[in-house]
């Protein structure tokens, strides 16, 4: 795993250098000099709102078993470690939440998986919706792939929330087929699968499910609003719908194993690709993506520091 991370980091740096070399250094410096810091401040407030919405969603899924302040620190730290190494933040979330001892491992994993599935469904819906209704010729080739991804996300969400009992049934069936259904180790795995399925029980309450859905929508609205403000702050004036489309690319890049140690190269390449698809010149797209990346890393570090402080004082209480 370490070797793969090193390889991905080197490839990302190579891509970053290749992209930056396509733009004059004076142009990149001009973008940074032209940043409207008032819009950056508003974008940071939106980013704070994103984390508050994630905190509230996890609290709802866990049924309030963990104090919101602790959940907020987990969200901050999860974001930070995920940017360092893909999925390491998710592992840290599970580990730190397990240390609290107030929820089972199954509920712990269910809260993580439920949030991931909801985010994947929302993100693919936004992408699919814009591609289908947009009249931009360059996006016509993306309609079939986006439709397939959207269909997969709908199926995953429907199966997970409407029929969570399918998971332990599949695990039990697989154990019977290979003849290990009675072994203690397999029974422990089956118990975890049953606990994870039980963790999705929040969806049975319309009130809780509605609030979880609302926090998810607010989370993503604020995410895209933050990106829209940052783009305006560097002089990229595209509509909110085009922002929804272009901003999905760096977000999707952040979900891949190639996003390590800040995601340099991966972020810029993905964002520049999305921006050029909606009509932004390649040079401006690359310079703007670098400026946005630096600002977003700054946002991340500020909240990560807050997360470490909250976590430290929680441990010393």
């Amino acid at each position: 795993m370490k070797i793969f991370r090193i390889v991905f980091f080197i490839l990302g740096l190579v891509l970053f250098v290749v992209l930056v070399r396509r733009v004059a250094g004076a142009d990149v410096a001009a973008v940074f000099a032209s940043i409207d810091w008032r819009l950056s401040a508003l974008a940071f407030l939106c980013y704070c709102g994103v984390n508050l919405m994630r905190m509230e969603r996890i609290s709802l899924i866990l049924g309030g078993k963990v104090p919101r302040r602790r959940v907020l620190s987990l969200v901050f730290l999860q974001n930070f470690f995920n940017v360092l190494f893909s999925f390491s933040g998710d592992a840290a979330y599970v580990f730190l939440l397990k240390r609290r001892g107030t929820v089972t491992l199954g509920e712990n994993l269910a809260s993580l998986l439920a949030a991931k599935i909801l985010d994947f469904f929302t993100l693919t819906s936004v992408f699919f919706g814009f591609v289908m209704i947009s009249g931009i010729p360059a996006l016509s080739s993306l309609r079939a792939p986006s439709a397939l991804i959207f269909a997969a996300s709908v199926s995953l969400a429907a199966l997970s929330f409407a029929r969570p009992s399918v998971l332990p049934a599949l695990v039990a069936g697989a154990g019977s087929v290979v003849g290990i259904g009675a072994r203690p180790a397999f029974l422990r795995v089956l118990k975890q699968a049953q606990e994870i399925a039980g963790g999705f029980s929040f969806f049975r309450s319309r009130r809780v499910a509605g609030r979880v859905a609302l926090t998810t929508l607010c989370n993503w609205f604020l995410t895209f609003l933050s990106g829209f403000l940052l783009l305006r702050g560097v002089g990229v004036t595209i509509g909110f719908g085009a922002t929804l489309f272009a901003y999905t690319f760096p977000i999707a890049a952040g979900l891949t194993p190639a996003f390590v140690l800040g995601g340099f190269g991966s972020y810029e390449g993905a964002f520049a690709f999305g921006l050029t698809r909606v009509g932004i010149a390649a040079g401006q797209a690359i310079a703007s993506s670098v400026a946005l990346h630096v600002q977003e890393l700054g946002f991340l570090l500020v909240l990560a520091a807050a997360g470490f402080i909250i976590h430290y004082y929680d441990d010393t209480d």
Side-chain angles (χ1 to χ4, degrees):
M1 183 63 72
K2 290 182 178 179
I3 295 176
F4 282 114
R5 286 174 175 172
I6 293 171
V7 170
F8 284 136
F9 177 64
I10 293 173
L11 290 176
L13 284 182
V14 170
L15 177 58
F16 181 79
V17 172
V18 169
L19 289 171
V20 171
R21 283 174 66 92
R22 295 185 59 185
V23 186
D27 292 339
V28 177
V31 170
F32 275 95
S34 67
I35 291 175
D36 188 332
W37 296 106
R38 294 169 299 179
L39 293 177
S40 294
L42 290 175
F44 176 69
L45 291 177
C46 289
Y47 183 69
C48 292
V50 167
N51 286 271
L52 290 174
M53 289 298 104
R54 291 177 180 172
M55 173 204 71
E56 183 62 22
R57 181 175 63 180
I58 292 173
S59 295
L60 288 167
I61 294 173
L62 293 175
K65 294 180 180 180
V66 181
R68 281 179 169 80
R69 186 179 71 171
R70 290 181 178 177
V71 175
L72 186 61
S73 71
L74 292 178
V75 170
F76 289 161
L77 296 178
Q78 181 186 17
N79 294 339
F80 174 70
F81 286 115
N82 271 341
V83 170
L84 283 181
F85 301 106
S86 291
F87 312 118
S88 62
D90 299 332
Y93 168 88
V94 172
F95 172 75
L96 293 173
L97 186 57
K98 183 182 178 182
R99 283 183 59 193
R100 298 303 175 191
T102 53
V103 296
T104 66
L105 180 59
E107 292 173 320
N108 184 336
L109 292 171
S111 69
L112 176 66
L113 292 173
K116 293 292 184 183
I117 292 169
L118 286 167
D119 287 340
F120 179 64
F121 173 71
T122 306
L123 194 62
T124 55
S125 298
V126 168
F127 184 83
F128 172 72
F130 183 80
V131 168
M132 295 305 291
I133 66 175
S134 172
I136 300 175
L139 303 185
S140 59
S141 62
L142 298 176
R143 289 180 179 174
S146 67
L148 289 174
I149 296 172
F150 176 67
S153 72
V154 171
S155 301
L156 178 62
L159 183 64
S160 301
F161 297 119
R163 292 288 186 272
S165 58
V166 170
L167 174 62
L170 288 174
V171 173
S176 298
V177 169
V178 298
I180 60 172
R183 294 185 180 181
F186 177 78
L187 292 176
R188 288 195 293 270
V189 173
L190 180 59
K191 181 181 178 181
Q192 290 299 324
Q194 291 169 339
E195 289 183 356
I196 291 173
F200 282 87
S201 61
F202 73 90
F203 205 73
R204 297 171 190 166
S205 168
R206 292 184 179 180
R207 179 173 175 272
V208 175
R211 291 177 65 185
V212 169
L214 180 60
T215 54
T216 299
L217 291 175
C218 290
N219 163 25
W220 283 105
F221 172 76
L222 290 171
T223 297
F224 287 114
L225 180 58
S226 176
F228 177 77
L229 292 169
L230 288 173
L231 284 172
R232 287 297 174 107
V234 295
V236 177
T237 54
I238 57 176
F240 193 72
T243 301
L244 293 178
F245 171 80
Y247 209 49
T248 57
F249 286 93
I251 293 172
L255 303 177
T256 66
F259 203 90
V260 295
L261 294 177
F264 287 100
S266 303
Y267 180 100
E268 286 77 13
F271 206 177
F273 177 82
L275 288 172
T276 55
R277 297 286 79 77
V278 293
I280 302 301
Q284 184 182 12
I286 294 170
S288 299
S289 65
V290 173
L292 263 69
H293 194 185
V294 171
Q295 291 180 79
E296 289 180 2
L297 288 177
F299 297 170
L300 177 77
L301 291 174
V302 170
L303 295 191
F308 279 111
I309 292 171
I310 295 171
H311 183 71
Y312 171 78
Y313 282 105
D314 277 347
D315 277 352
T316 54
D317 283 347

